[in-house]
Amino acid sequence: MAGVRDGLSKKAYVRAGELARAAGVSTDTLRHYERKGVLGAPRRSANGYREYPPEALARVLLVRRALAFGFTLEELARVLRTRERGGAPCREVRALAAGKLEEVESRLRELRVLRGELRAILGEWDERLAGTAGGGRAGLLESLTESRVSSGRHGNVRAPLRRGRKRNGRRGTDDEKD
Amino acid sequence: MAGVRDGLSKKAYVRAGELARAAGVSTDTLRHYERKGVLGAPRRSANGYREYPPEALARVLLVRRALAFGFTLEELARVLRTRERGGAPCREVRALAAGKLEEVESRLRELRVLRGELRAILGEWDERLAGTAGGGRAGLLESLTESRVSSGRHGNVRAPLRRGRKRNGRRGTDDEKD
DNA sequence: CTTGACCCCGGAACCGGTTCGGAACTTTAT
DNA sequence: ATAAAGTTCCGAACCGGTTCCGGGGTCAAG
């Protein structure tokens, strides 16, 4: 375990591996966070190893938590940087979080609709399959196209919630009238 | 509506652009579908242009619909290919859809939790901000780390519902005891 | 001295669906 | 004829967070 424990203070500088373990991430991830500006480059020991101060752990955990809340590393970097310079990005953070909440709610609506459609279609299929033993062949897929539901692209299910980029929009029949 | 004007039959072969417009996708997407094996390479005209048969539209719409239901192009390709060869992938399709439903429900649970946490944190922040006018500075972010909730990575919000890869896992402190 | 556990680094791969960049071609207007 | 639109073609880029690759150090134990 090689706990640094140098007799001095309770907690001293730790190396990448230890911090990573403590935070539940990989050292690769730590490097990535540093590169993205959410962690801050730690000092280096004589041999070039990173030596993180005890506070780093809290920072990493904070980042993890914020990520779980839907923040992106980029947003986080911006906010943290502002704060590091004495700024008070509180309102911005609040706004950001509010945006996340909206996204989540929107997504919830979409998924609820999707769930309903899935249940309906499954029910229908089971009914049909009951009558078509063995090598079915009843066009299950086909019935998708007919499903009476809105068909309003509820967002590609897995759509990263951060949907919609179309910076230039070349062709693609913009049928987005929402 | 620029219908095919070759006088022959009611509907004749159409080119990429027309099919794309009709299906509400881009020609790029059509190409992609072809490459992924869900569309099937159409014949080519003398100049190398794709010429899709009328049925292609239904196919594309089917794909769109299936995508909206959470199927991936890869799954779709597999199924469609099977079918194309006389197979009856019905049970498989049903199983797939059932899987989607489970994913959606799981995701719904996660998002509901997340929504709750977001609301809570927002409420808390607003309270705090009310008392800290102007240049706030109350550590909003910090309170994230303390939020009493499970903290059980509800899935990175935007996590594509198709979470989790870790083929080899080098380091990374596998703390996934979910 | 070898083994093995850590550490360093830049850059590519991954996922999945879509879009971009830009060359090449066809049709329409001048 | 020729420029200006409009289409089509294709491979490669994109998103975002993480992991992988792979070649090179550092250090303590055996």
Side-chain angles (χ1 to χ4, degrees):
Chain A
M1 262 295 126
V4 182
R5 191 176 291 62
D6 62 351
L8 279 194
S9 51
K10 41 294 207 68
K11 284 183 176 180
Y13 284 63
V14 297
R15 289 185 307 185
E18 195 168 351
L19 175 58
R21 226 173 343 262
V25 303
S26 69
T27 57
D28 277 334
T29 297
L30 289 183
R31 265 191 350 119
H32 185 56
Y33 285 176
E34 185 178 324
R35 227 171 349 201
K36 287 298 184 181
V38 296
L39 184 48
R43 75 179 197 191
R44 299 299 185 106
S45 65
N47 55 23
Y49 289 6
R50 287 178 178 76
E51 293 192 309
Y52 294 95
E55 315 88 77
L57 175 56
R59 166 57 66 94
V60 175
L61 291 180
L62 171 62
V63 170
R64 295 303 288 177
R65 196 88 184 111
L67 281 178
F69 271 84
F71 290 84
T72 68
L73 287 179
E74 201 270 324
E75 293 168 336
L76 231 29
R78 193 150 30 80
V79 167
L80 290 175
R81 207 140 38 205
T82 295
R83 210 178 49 169
E84 223 89 322
R85 289 179 300 133
C90 293
R91 336 297 305 201
E92 186 185 356
V93 170
R94 212 221 83 107
L96 240 36
K100 305 304 174 195
L101 178 56
E102 271 183 42
E103 287 181 58
V104 168
E105 289 178 331
S106 159
R107 194 119 181 74
L108 275 169
R109 279 190 294 274
E110 294 176 342
L111 286 182
R112 268 194 293 267
V113 172
L114 180 54
R115 180 183 55 185
E117 298 189 29
L118 272 171
R119 282 178 177 161
I121 209 77
L122 275 174
E124 191 183 333
W125 284 356
D126 282 347
E127 215 170 304
R128 202 177 313 193
L129 281 175
T132 316
R137 190 118 205 64
L140 257 41
L141 281 313
E142 275 65 16
S143 57
L144 280 185
T145 332
E146 302 163 358
S147 86
R148 38 190 117 11
V149 232
S150 63
S151 154
R153 45 167 89 307
H154 11 51
N156 263 341
V157 189
R158 54 172 54 65
L161 200 162
R162 133 90 21 89
R163 179 162 26 37
R165 51 195 288 282
K166 184 181 287 194
R167 82 177 56 160
N168 176 341
R170 190 181 182 170
R171 39 208 162 222
T173 317
D174 307 10
D175 59 357
E176 50 186 342
K177 64 285 202 113
D178 66 314
Chain B
M1 202 19 62
V4 189
R5 39 352 215 146
D6 66 348
L8 277 197
S9 50
K10 41 302 204 60
K11 286 184 176 182
Y13 283 63
V14 296
R15 290 185 309 183
E18 195 167 354
L19 175 58
R21 224 170 346 259
V25 302
S26 69
T27 56
D28 283 329
T29 297
L30 290 182
R31 272 201 333 125
H32 185 56
Y33 287 177
E34 183 177 325
R35 203 158 24 187
K36 287 300 184 180
V38 297
L39 183 50
R43 74 182 197 190
R44 300 296 186 108
S45 64
N47 55 23
Y49 288 5
R50 289 176 177 74
E51 294 193 308
Y52 295 95
E55 315 88 77
L57 175 58
R59 166 58 67 93
V60 175
L61 291 180
L62 171 62
V63 170
R64 296 303 287 177
R65 197 88 185 111
L67 281 179
F69 270 82
F71 290 85
T72 68
L73 287 178
E74 201 271 322
E75 294 168 337
L76 231 30
R78 195 149 30 81
V79 167
L80 289 174
R81 208 141 37 209
T82 296
R83 210 178 49 168
E84 222 89 321
R85 289 180 298 131
C90 293
R91 335 299 301 200
E92 186 185 356
V93 170
R94 212 222 83 106
L96 240 35
K100 303 306 173 194
L101 178 55
E102 273 183 40
E103 286 181 59
V104 168
E105 288 177 332
S106 159
R107 193 117 184 75
L108 275 170
R109 277 190 296 274
E110 293 176 343
L111 286 182
R112 268 193 293 265
V113 172
L114 181 54
R115 180 184 54 186
E117 299 189 30
L118 271 172
R119 282 179 177 162
I121 210 76
L122 275 174
E124 191 183 331
W125 284 357
D126 282 346
E127 214 170 306
R128 201 177 314 192
L129 281 175
T132 316
R137 191 124 204 57
L140 258 42
L141 281 314
E142 276 66 16
S143 57
L144 279 185
T145 333
E146 302 163 357
S147 82
R148 40 284 342 66
V149 232
S150 62
S151 155
R153 45 170 89 306
H154 12 51
N156 259 344
V157 189
R158 53 174 52 67
L161 199 162
R162 127 106 5 104
R163 187 170 11 31
R165 56 191 287 279
K166 182 179 290 196
R167 81 177 54 164
N168 174 344
R170 191 184 187 164
R171 40 209 161 224
T173 318
D174 308 16
D175 61 351
E176 52 184 344
K177 62 281 208 109
D178 64 316

